Structure formats: structure tokens, C-alpha cells
Amino acid sequence: MIWLFVVAAMIVAMVVIGGITRLTESGLSITQWKPVSGTVPPLSDADWAAEFERYKQIPEYTQLNRGMTLDGFKAIFFWEYAHRLFGRIIGLAFAVPLLWFAVRRQIPRGYGGRLIAILALGGLQGAIGWWMVASGLSVRTDVSHVRLAVHLMTALFLLAGIVWTALDLRSLPDARPARLTMLAGVALALLFAQIMFGAFTAGLDAGYAFASWPLMGDAWFPAGVPLIDPLWRNVLDNAVVMQFIHRWLAFAVAAALGLVAWRAWQRGARRAAVAIALLVTAQIALGIATLLSGVWLPIAVGHQASAALLLIASTWAAHILGQGLGRRAAAR
């Protein structure tokens, strides 16, 4: 159980590193995917020259960064390399203990399949990361915001799954696995939708569209914004619409999570309820500060980290609400 909480903490750190990688525009600095040999960084001047030459072939360099020095390249290479390396470390931190417990037959009955599924999804996450990077290597000067969203949401789905499983294991042998209640399910779905639109906002650089609050410029929704045809595509590809949705969906999420926190409080889970209340407040404040600061890196990264912590608190509260369902199902 402690092992799973450690892995969850590592995923939060990974989200922070990923946010820095995105905000420093470092994600396309490594143009090859080598799951094993890529663990070793360039070690010689010749290796660095070859790596830099590969970067010079992609549109991000030819259209945006032409003339970049080798030292400048090394700076962006560092964050993408750290992101990939830490992903491998997380994989090992999950897989090695899992194998150890399996060999010693210490995995509780009914949990082996779930843990293997989490491991498989973690491996898929690495492939999704490359799928995302590949979208920016030939035509675009950045990665697809849709693929970026898939990459982030998969990471946070893994985080929620690991935390939920750890909480289930912690309750053994006194309780059966918790079940997701309708209220918690709706609240978590809204939270994941907000995270998705946050990733869209980041991927489209929509945070730079309007640096004001609560109005966007001098209106709630600015007049004269060019809309994309067909209309539904604005929800995916229009930066101004994206910022507008991300601004106001936050309050629907806050209301839903507030109900979850209240129900948790009624169940006596006051720490979980207070954690949600504090993190929702911090998340909204950081979101506003991100806009007003012109997407200043420390605040923007804090906003992303806070989202991961809010997901953990929400999963914790949802698990508490679902424990009664697990007991009733067992009684039948």
C-alpha cells in the first residue's frame, strides 16, 4: 500500500515536470523514441552535435528557433530528457515491487488483475507520450493539443486509479472494495472535463489570449471573435472559446466537488472535506493568477500541480463515500 502512495507522489512530480516541459517549449527537443537506449543522454561533443542536428530538421527549429545555440538546445533538451527518464523510473517503481509481491504471493485476491491493468496503462502512457511528440515533428511547430490532453488525462487517470487501489488495500481485511457513487462519479467526470479543457488551453496557448479577470478584455465574451466552421470545432480548436470554457467550467466543478466534500464531512471524513475545500480554492486562485501574470511559469506549474492534488483529494473523498456501497454489495 505504501508503495502505491509513493508511486502516486511520483506521478504528481511527473505532472510538474511535464508542465515545465510544456511551458518552456522543450517537448520537441528529442526527436526519436528509444525506450531503452534513450535512457543514456548524449555524453560526447559528437553525440550532442548529432542530437542538435536532428532537432534542426523539424519545423519548430526552422520556423521558430533558427539560430539557437547548442547551449540553448541543451537547456530545452534537459527538461524533455528529465520528463522521459522520470517516466521510466516511475514504471520501474511500480513494476519491480509488483513482481516482488507476485512472486511472494502477497497480492490480495482480486487485486492482481487491477494492478496488472494499471501497469499496462502505464506502459501505454509512454507510447501516448511519443504519439503526442510525433505530432509536432513534421508539419506543426508544436504538438497536437488533443494529443497533449490525452497524455495528461491518461496520467491523471492512472493517478486516480493508483490512489483508489491503495485506499482499497488499506481498508483490508475489514472492508470490500469501494464503489463509485453517482455524486462522486459526476463530480470526477466534471473534474476530468476541466482538466481536458485545461490541456487544450495550454496546447493552444489560449492562456495568453486575455490576461484579465473576470472579463475577457472589456466583455464576458469578446465581440468579433472569428469562429471556426463547423461551429462545434470551436470547442476543440478556438483558443478564445477554450479560455472562456476553462474559466467558467471551473465553478461547476467547484460546486460538484463542494457537494462531495459536504457528504464526506457528514460521514465524518473531515480531513478529506477540508482538503477538497482548500484545494478547490487554491486551484481557482492559481488559475486566475496564471491569467493575470501572463502565464508566469511558477504560477502556471503550481496550477497544474494543484489540479493533481485536487484529483487525489477528490478520489479520497469519493472512496470514502463508496465504502458503504462496497459493504452493502458484500452483504447481499
Side-chain angles (χ1 to χ4, degrees):
M1 178 189 67
I2 294 175
W3 144 63
L4 291 177
F5 284 126
V6 170
V7 173
M10 294 175 73
I11 293 175
V12 174
M14 183 67 159
V15 169
V16 171
I17 296 171
I20 296 173
T21 302
R22 168 62 194 167
L23 289 165
T24 56
E25 299 184 351
S26 304
L28 296 177
S29 57
I30 302 178
T31 60
Q32 295 179 316
W33 188 38
K34 298 179 178 179
V36 178
S37 61
T39 305
V40 181
L43 298 176
S44 67
D45 290 343
D47 291 341
W48 276 113
E51 198 71 50
F52 192 22
E53 192 59 36
R54 282 189 286 270
Y55 177 68
K56 289 180 178 180
Q57 307 307 311
I58 69 171
E60 182 180 81
Y61 176 83
T62 58
Q63 297 180 35
L64 300 178
N65 290 336
R66 184 179 293 275
M68 172 183 278
T69 65
L70 180 59
D71 285 341
F73 172 71
K74 288 180 178 180
I76 63 172
F77 183 95
F78 169 81
W79 286 112
E80 176 63 8
Y81 174 75
H83 188 57
R84 296 192 188 194
L85 180 63
F86 199 58
R88 294 178 174 97
I89 293 172
I90 292 174
L92 289 174
F94 188 90
V96 172
L98 177 61
L99 179 61
W100 171 259
F101 292 130
V103 169
R104 294 174 62 88
R105 299 184 182 277
Q106 292 182 336
I107 297 176
R109 186 176 181 180
Y111 286 88
R114 192 196 302 191
L115 291 168
I116 290 172
I118 290 173
L119 178 63
L121 186 58
L124 179 62
Q125 172 70 341
I128 291 172
W130 172 247
W131 175 64
M132 176 190 70
V133 170
S135 68
L137 296 180
S138 58
V139 178
R140 304 170 58 102
T141 59
D142 57 3
V143 301
S144 162
H145 62 287
V146 174
R147 298 188 188 188
L148 173 67
V150 173
H151 188 49
L152 177 60
M153 291 176 69
T154 303
L156 294 180
F157 183 79
L158 271 169
L159 175 62
I162 289 171
V163 170
W164 189 281
T165 300
L167 292 171
D168 272 348
L169 290 171
R170 188 175 68 171
S171 66
L172 292 176
D174 300 324
R176 294 296 184 96
R179 295 190 175 189
L180 192 63
T181 65
M182 177 69 74
L183 172 61
V186 170
L188 287 172
L190 284 171
L191 178 56
F192 270 99
Q194 177 68 347
I195 290 168
M196 178 185 71
F197 281 109
F200 287 166
T201 299
L204 289 172
D205 291 328
Y208 297 99
F210 289 91
S212 57
W213 178 269
L215 302 180
M216 299 176 73
D218 56 359
W220 292 106
F221 186 85
V225 174
L227 296 179
I228 302 170
D229 187 49
L231 199 60
W232 64 265
R233 281 193 55 204
N234 290 278
V235 180
L236 289 178
D237 298 324
N238 189 314
V240 175
V241 172
M242 206 66 64
Q243 189 189 119
F244 178 82
I245 293 173
H246 192 54
R247 282 173 176 236
W248 301 113
L249 181 58
F251 292 94
V253 176
L257 290 179
L259 289 174
V260 171
W262 174 245
R263 290 291 299 275
W265 181 278
Q266 291 178 320
R267 290 281 297 271
R270 297 190 173 187
R271 288 185 298 173
V274 170
I276 289 178
L278 291 177
L279 286 167
V280 164
T281 302
Q283 181 67 352
I284 291 175
L286 284 168
I288 295 171
T290 298
L291 287 175
L292 297 179
S293 68
V295 193
W296 186 40
L297 191 146
I299 297 177
V301 171
H303 184 51
Q304 190 160 317
S306 178
L309 295 176
L310 177 58
L311 177 61
I312 291 175
S314 303
T315 302
W316 178 20
H319 188 273
I320 291 167
L321 298 183
Q323 283 178 323
L325 293 180
R327 284 194 292 270
R328 288 196 291 272
R332 297 194 191 100

